[in-house]
Amino acid sequence: MQANKQSLVTGSGLFPGTATVTDVHCAIDPDGSGAVVIPSTWTRVPNSAFTKCAALSSVTFQAPVQVTAIDAYAFYESGLASFVVPQSVSSIGASAFELCSSLTSLTLEADSALVSISDRLFYGSGLTSFVVPKSVSSIDASAFELCSSLTSLT
């Protein structure tokens, strides 16, 4: 089943068009410890790829990393606890980490290419702090809304 899920994404770079945030998706099934490795063939993490994937706790990217985008709702309401955004990612779609209440740590690799922080990106997440990279030129007003654990934003 995992190979079939991966082919949905790696073949066309898209997740099925019928995916919605009410569906549960794990484009790649997490291992026993909740970890997923994004293959080096991926150029983006597609819309709703890991929506409501409660078993997911961590994501790493296989080298060489080619991911340039994390699409909207990619990790919406998933079980992510921490996440490192690869340097190559220039865009993260709206609500990508929305309602990830277990997500306490999200860091961006040095020399981040990220240019904006989207609408509801971290809405309701468990982030405790966040450092905005120099590459970011805009932050949507609702990006950090309802982040009650957020004590530092620099």
Side-chain angles (χ1 to χ4, degrees), residues 5-143:
K5 288 181 183 183
Q6 283 185 316
S7 66
L8 289 172
V9 180
T10 59
S12 65
L14 300 173
F15 205 70
T18 58
T20 68
V21 297
T22 59
D23 297 331
V24 175
H25 297 288
C26 292
I28 300 170
D29 290 323
D31 67 16
S33 66
V36 162
V37 177
I38 303 292
S40 61
T41 54
W42 283 25
T43 58
R44 65 188 323 111
V45 178
N47 183 299
S48 301
F50 295 96
T51 289
K52 297 187 179 183
C53 187
L56 180 66
S57 63
S58 68
V59 172
T60 56
F61 293 83
Q62 182 181 46
V65 178
Q66 297 184 62
V67 173
T68 59
I70 298 172
D71 291 344
Y73 300 100
F75 297 100
Y76 177 89
E77 206 175 343
S78 72
L80 270 179
S82 64
F83 192 85
V84 177
V85 179
Q87 180 277 333
S88 57
V89 173
S90 61
S91 72
I92 302 177
S95 302
F97 298 99
E98 182 174 341
L99 297 178
C100 290
S101 59
S102 298
L103 181 65
T104 58
S105 172
L106 185 134
T107 56
L108 293 104
E109 288 184 343
D111 298 321
S112 174
L114 188 65
V115 294
S116 68
I117 297 182
S118 303
D119 181 44
R120 298 173 68 105
L121 184 59
F122 300 112
Y123 181 94
S125 77
L127 280 182
T128 57
S129 65
F130 187 77
V131 177
V132 180
K134 292 178 183 179
S135 58
V136 169
S137 59
S138 67
I139 300 174
D140 189 87
S142 65

